[in-house]
Amino acid sequence: MRHTALLYFVGPAGAGKSTLVASLQEWLALQRFDGITLNLDPGAETIPYAPDIDVRERFTLRDVMAEYGLGPNGAQVVCADLLAVELEWLREEVDAFHCDYVLADAPGQTELFLYREAPRVLVEGLSPRTGLVMLFDPLLSRTPAGFVTQLLLAAAAHLRFPVPMFPVLTKSDLLEPQEVDRILGWAANLELLRGDMPPAEGMGEVLSGELLRVLQTLTLESQLVAVSAKDGEGMEGIYALVQSAFAGGDDLEAHVDAH
Ligand SMILES: Nc1nc2c(ncn2[C@@H]2O[C@H](COP(=O)(O)OP(=O)(O)OP(=O)(O)O)[C@@H](O)[C@H]2O)c(=O)[nH]1
Ligand SMILES: [Mg+2]
């Protein structure tokens, strides 16, 4: 185990996990850090980076469908369970790299990754220096109810994996700047979110102060960072939070100066 941190990228289907892994790896390389990529999605068809470690070398969704005579959904469940079987192999592969960061791209079936037992075995066993980058989809985050739904998903993720969590608002290039500010404002102060709930949805009542405090503690200990993997924006924001959680401070300037 030589890495500073192993980060799992988790979030709703299509939120931009794989693209963010690609973009962050590129950014790390520009800063002369080594970040390796780990694809954990056996059903991935195309991936926007060349995985250094790829679970598809061990099994693919297609193989599992054929072998067990399952449709895609049943096969996804089997695939999630098979992840635990690969723990030793994955550990050896990760340990074989001398690198600063391991960027692990979780499958899009987030509920399987969060709620099945096998991925938990994997996340707990692969590295003692594990973090979770929790992606918030920009279009779902535009409305208070959509944002709360993702906070609940993030809370579930944190309960399953009690490790440092870094919430990230993805694809911010798709939002107007004032929409980004509004969402970041909600994350910084959930009372603002409650205030913006339309009365018709009745959610303001449901979201008692206590529930908001629980969500804040579980999901937003780190500030929400807005990124655009497409434009390469916000990578240093993720890095700074990860660095302060795992290495006690942002060493970026010193590191760059040293090269
Ligand atoms: N505009 C914009 N589009 C993006 C960005 N990041 C990703 N996308 C697009 O969003 C779509 C989904 O991106 P992926 O990176 O495959 O998302 P994912 O979360 O890995 O998807 P699954 O693994 O299938 O759940 C693709 O069409 C990407 O090109 C971004 O920062 N800005
Ligand atoms: Mg993906």
Side-chain angles (χ1 to χ4, degrees):
M1 202 284 298
R2 304 176 182 91
H3 48 269
T4 305
L6 187 154
L7 302 172
Y8 291 89
F9 289 71
V10 176
K17 298 176 284 293
S18 303
T19 314
L20 183 56
V21 164
S23 189
L24 190 58
Q25 185 192 34
E26 224 169 85
W27 183 86
L28 286 170
L30 282 175
Q31 318 304 322
R32 300 177 192 251
F33 287 112
D34 288 325
I36 63 162
T37 53
L38 162 53
N39 171 46
L40 289 175
D41 186 353
E45 299 275 338
T46 53
I47 299 183
Y49 53 87
D52 295 294
I53 308 170
D54 194 342
V55 78
R56 293 177 303 177
E57 280 178 32
R58 309 294 282 181
F59 60 92
T60 66
L61 183 67
R62 277 175 197 276
D63 296 343
V64 169
M65 285 172 68
E67 191 172 325
Y68 294 81
L70 291 168
N73 292 321
Q76 293 282 6
V77 176
V78 173
C79 283
D81 291 347
L82 285 174
L83 281 177
V85 179
E86 301 301 339
L87 176 59
E88 269 314 303
W89 177 77
L90 285 166
R91 199 162 25 206
E92 280 168 22
E93 290 282 309
V94 168
D95 285 350
F97 282 92
H98 290 257
C99 63
D100 301 307
Y101 295 96
V102 183
L103 311 178
D105 186 8
Q109 290 68 31
T110 308
E111 74 285 9
L112 292 179
F113 192 73
L114 293 184
Y115 304 152
R116 304 286 298 181
E117 198 54 15
R120 193 181 63 75
V121 169
L122 175 78
V123 171
E124 283 191 359
L126 194 52
S127 167
R129 307 175 63 82
T130 294
L132 213 65
V133 178
M134 189 73 212
L135 279 71
F136 284 66
D137 181 279
L139 301 180
L140 297 178
S141 300
R142 279 161 108 178
T143 63
F147 189 69
V148 169
T149 313
Q150 293 181 93
L151 286 178
L152 292 168
L153 185 70
H158 197 64
L159 287 169
R160 285 300 269 171
F161 307 131
V163 297
M165 178 149 81
F166 309 101
V168 167
L169 176 67
T170 57
K171 310 189 200 179
S172 58
D173 57 281
L174 294 179
L175 298 173
E176 297 297 329
Q178 57 270 31
E179 286 180 308
V180 173
D181 288 345
R182 186 161 176 250
I183 295 164
L184 296 184
W186 287 341
N189 180 359
L190 293 184
E191 283 298 334
L192 291 177
L193 174 70
R194 188 150 70 140
D196 283 344
M197 283 281 176
E201 289 183 29
M203 288 285 282
E205 298 306 312
V206 176
L207 284 176
S208 69
E210 255 167 87
L211 178 57
L212 287 178
R213 269 191 296 281
V214 171
L215 287 178
Q216 185 97 47
T217 311
L218 283 177
T219 65
L220 293 166
E221 277 194 319
S222 256
Q223 79 190 74
L224 181 63
V225 180
V227 307
S228 165
K230 181 171 152 266
D231 299 340
E233 298 279 341
M235 301 303 131
E236 67 288 343
I238 302 178
Y239 173 80
L241 292 175
V242 170
Q243 186 65 10
S244 70
F246 288 98
D250 185 353
D251 67 343
L252 185 56
E253 279 180 27
H255 176 82
V256 173
D257 287 348
H259 282 85

